[in-house]
Amino acid sequence: MIISDSIERDFGLRVTLNSVSPEKLRSLDKSNYEDNPLNSRNQSPKSVGIFELEIDSETDMLYAITGESMVSIFGTQITGRDALVICPEVTLDTLSDILFEALERFKMKLPENFEWVDNISKIKDPDVALLLDMELDERLSVDQYLDHFWLGEPEIVDWEYQSGYSFDQHYKAAIHPTLEIKELARHLQTNSQEKICTKALKKQQIFIVHEEHHSNKSWSAYRCLYAEITYGSEQYILRNGIWYRVNQDFVKRIDNYLSELTQYQYTLPTYNHEREDEYNNYVVANDPNYVLFDKKTIGLGGKNDKIEFCDILRNSRDLIHVKYYRSSSTLSHLFSQGCVAAEAFVSDKEFRKRLNKKLPEEMKLADIDIRPESKKFCVVYAIAVNREIPKKLPFFSKVTLKNAFRTLRALDFEVNLARIEVDAVLACKKKHRKNK
C-alpha cells in the first residue's frame, strides 16, 4: 500500500554503511556496469571484510549490504537496501529513538571505507529519470549535438553470423553495417515524420540482421543510445536504457590516470571494412611487418577458454588488439582480451606451449619453462573510431580501460593506445535483403 514514488531510495543502504563495521560483513548485493548490467549476491558464513566479498570499487555498484551493527540501539545485525532491516529490543517508548538515530545516520557523510559507493549511482527516482530524458530531448533536437552521442549494441553480439542492422522488417529495408545515430534520425524523419527524441527512441526497434537477411532479435533504440550530459553541477550517463549519476571527482581521477597512456607510434591503415577479421587480413596482406593472429585461439578450458594472443603482431613485439567501436560492451571485451592473453603469456606454461606452435620462427620461445620478460612486449589497444581517444571515449569504457592499463602495467608490459581512422563512407553503406 506504500506509494513507490514516496520511497527514499537507498535509505537503508546509507544508514547501514554508516552503522556497520567494514570488516564484519556477511552479505552484499551488487551490479556490474562494466559489460551488461549483471546483478549478483555474495555472502559468507562468517564475518569478513568488504573486499573479501569480491566487490570492485570502480566497476561495481553496491545495492544492499548486511553486517554486524556498531550501533547498540539497532541490535547486533543490520541490513540495508531501500528499506532498513534491524532486530532490536524495542518498546513504544524507545521506537522514536531508533527512528531518529536512523534518520541522523542517513544524513551523515559516508565513512572513508565506503566513500567509493558514491562514485556511480543508478537513478531510481522515475521523476528524475523523466527530467533527464527531457534534458536529453533538448540536446537531440539540435543537429550539432548528435555528434556527442553514441549509438551501439547494448550487449555483445556475434559478428560471424550477422551482416548488420535494420530499422524495420520490410523486405526492402536498408541494412546498415554499423549503427549511426544520424542514420537513425534520418529514418525517423523520413518514415515516421518524427524528430529524434526519447519517446521516438523508445518506440523504434533496431533489428539484428543475420547473413540470410532475416532477423530474430531486436532492441529499442533507446537501449542502444549512449549519452553523457551535464545537468546542474552533476554528470549523468544513459546506458542500456538506464540513467546513472557520476561523481565528478571520480571522473577526474579516471581522466588523470588515462593521461599517462602512450599513443602508439605507428599509424594503422584506415578502417573501411564491415568485419574486423577482414580489416586484420587487409593489414597483414599489405605490410610484411605484421603477422595475423586473429582467430588463432588457444584453448585451456575454464572461463578463459579459447584465448586470442592478439589480433595482429608487429615485429614480434607489439601485441595489437583491434576493435571497431560499437558500444562500451565491445570495448570491455577488447580490454579484457588484452589482459587475459598477457597474463596467460607470462604466468601459464601450458599456454606458452600451445602458443609456441603458432608463433613465427623468429619469435618462438627457446624454453617455454622460462617466464618471458614482459617489459620487452607492448600491448596495443587499437580502436577504430573517429573521435579523440581516450578523452572522447564513453565514461564506462574509460573505467574498464583504466583497470586494464593498471593490470598490464603491474605485469610490467608496455601499454599503448592507437586510434584507427574510420572511412567516412562506411557509415553510409547500405545493403538490401535478397529478393525472395
Side-chain angles (χ1 to χ4, degrees):
M1 295 176 66
I2 297 175
I3 301 171
S4 61
D5 290 351
S6 299
I7 296 172
E8 181 67 58
R9 301 297 178 182
D10 290 334
F11 175 84
L13 176 62
R14 298 190 75 85
V15 174
T16 300
L17 292 174
N18 279 314
S19 310
V20 75
S21 168
E23 300 303 322
K24 295 182 179 180
L25 304 177
R26 297 294 298 275
S27 173
L28 61 80
D29 292 6
K30 63 180 181 177
S31 178
N32 184 290
Y33 60 78
E34 189 174 33
D35 197 351
N36 292 316
L38 180 64
N39 299 317
S40 60
R41 172 174 293 173
N42 293 353
Q43 56 189 35
S44 169
K46 62 180 182 178
S47 295
V48 295
I50 178 71
F51 294 109
E52 291 177 83
L53 288 172
E54 296 185 352
I55 190 166
D56 189 312
S57 63
E58 291 190 342
T59 61
D60 289 329
M61 285 177 289
L62 184 64
Y63 281 165
I65 194 165
T66 297
E68 184 178 314
S69 171
M70 297 188 299
V71 183
S72 59
I73 198 172
F74 288 159
T76 58
Q77 183 167 289
I78 184 170
T79 296
R81 189 186 287 261
D82 286 343
L84 176 67
V85 181
I86 53 178
C87 297
E89 293 184 5
V90 61
T91 66
L92 285 176
D93 291 335
T94 60
L95 178 59
S96 60
D97 293 336
I98 294 173
L99 297 179
F100 278 116
E101 182 68 25
L103 188 59
E104 287 302 309
R105 290 186 174 271
F106 170 72
K107 296 175 182 177
M108 290 168 58
K109 181 181 177 182
L110 292 181
E112 186 176 344
N113 287 318
F114 293 124
E115 283 182 335
W116 54 270
V117 173
D118 281 335
N119 282 345
I120 293 180
S121 55
K122 179 180 175 181
I123 300 300
K124 298 181 181 181
D125 188 332
D127 289 338
V128 175
L130 179 60
L131 183 64
L132 292 171
D133 277 351
M134 293 169 63
E135 194 68 23
L136 177 59
D137 282 341
E138 287 192 19
R139 289 163 171 77
L140 289 172
S141 66
V142 182
D143 287 344
Q144 69 186 61
Y145 275 114
L146 292 182
D147 291 330
H148 297 278
F149 302 127
W150 303 80
L151 202 64
E153 303 91 339
E155 58 191 77
I156 296 293
V157 296
D158 193 342
W159 273 90
E160 290 187 16
Y161 304 106
Q162 72 177 68
S163 58
Y165 305 95
S166 65
F167 301 138
D168 63 54
Q169 290 189 297
H170 190 272
Y171 78 95
K172 288 186 178 180
I175 299 172
H176 304 264
T178 62
L179 285 175
E180 299 289 336
I181 193 166
K182 290 185 177 179
E183 288 292 313
L184 177 58
R186 277 192 282 270
H187 170 83
L188 289 170
Q189 187 69 51
T190 304
N191 293 273
S192 307
Q193 284 72 54
E194 286 187 278
K195 285 194 172 183
I196 189 169
C197 63
T198 54
K199 182 180 178 181
L201 291 171
K202 288 175 180 178
K203 289 191 300 182
Q204 175 66 48
Q205 292 293 302
I206 293 177
F207 301 90
I208 296 178
V209 181
H210 296 277
E211 288 180 326
E212 297 81 11
H213 289 189
H214 69 271
S215 174
N216 59 11
K217 185 172 186 178
S218 67
W219 313 288
S220 74
Y222 186 75
R223 275 194 67 196
C224 297
L225 180 66
Y226 188 104
E228 298 183 11
I229 65 172
T230 300
Y231 182 66
S233 60
E234 302 286 357
Q235 182 166 342
Y236 297 91
I237 292 174
L238 177 69
R239 177 178 180 270
N240 206 352
I242 299 171
W243 280 105
Y244 300 89
R245 182 187 63 80
V246 187
N247 185 293
Q248 291 284 26
D249 289 338
F250 185 42
V251 174
K252 291 176 183 177
R253 287 204 308 273
I254 297 297
D255 285 340
N256 288 340
Y257 197 97
L258 292 181
S259 66
E260 300 175 19
L261 259 174
T262 303
Q263 295 295 317
Y264 192 46
Q265 61 178 315
Y266 300 106
T267 301
L268 291 163
T270 299
Y271 191 106
N272 60 359
H273 302 74
E274 293 183 15
R275 297 159 60 114
E276 287 158 13
D277 57 347
E278 294 174 355
Y279 176 78
N280 294 332
N281 279 291
Y282 171 79
V283 173
V284 172
N286 287 275
D287 192 330
N289 291 308
Y290 294 100
V291 176
L292 184 67
F293 266 83
D294 186 19
K295 297 186 178 179
K296 294 183 180 180
T297 58
I298 298 170
L300 293 176
K303 67 176 182 178
N304 292 330
D305 194 20
K306 297 183 178 178
I307 300 172
E308 280 190 352
F309 183 51
C310 60
D311 288 316
I312 50 180
L313 177 68
R314 181 184 172 89
N315 292 336
S316 301
R317 174 187 181 274
D318 299 340
L319 315 178
I320 305 173
H321 299 269
V322 177
K323 186 65 67 176
Y324 177 87
Y325 177 84
R326 301 182 190 280
S327 66
S328 52
S329 295
T330 59
L331 292 190
S332 293
H333 178 73
L334 171 72
F335 302 145
S336 174
Q337 175 184 305
C339 285
V340 169
E343 187 171 7
F345 182 50
V346 297
S347 64
D348 193 324
K349 183 175 74 172
E350 183 61 29
F351 177 82
R352 292 196 293 271
K353 178 182 177 181
R354 299 184 185 187
L355 172 66
N356 221 28
K357 297 175 182 178
K358 301 176 184 289
L359 290 172
E361 287 299 322
E362 65 273 14
M363 192 184 170
K364 285 191 182 295
L365 303 172
D367 188 347
I368 60 170
D369 292 327
I370 299 176
R371 180 186 174 109
E373 290 187 67
S374 52
K375 63 183 178 181
K376 292 183 177 180
F377 297 92
C378 179
V379 175
V380 182
Y381 288 122
I383 304 171
V385 64
N386 286 341
R387 302 189 185 199
E388 183 184 355
I389 59 173
K391 183 178 180 180
K392 296 297 183 180
L393 286 178
F395 180 72
F396 286 144
S397 296
K398 290 182 183 180
V399 175
T400 53
L401 173 58
K402 182 256 184 185
N403 290 337
F405 182 26
R406 180 179 60 188
T407 298
L408 291 167
R409 194 158 64 171
L411 291 170
D412 212 18
F413 282 91
E414 183 182 345
V415 185
N416 282 183
L417 195 62
R419 186 180 73 83
I420 303 172
E421 188 77 23
V422 178
D423 184 2
V425 177
L426 180 65
C428 303
K429 281 184 179 179
K430 297 182 182 67
K431 296 187 292 186
H432 293 274
R433 289 174 170 82
K434 299 173 183 176
N435 292 329
K436 295 184 178 180

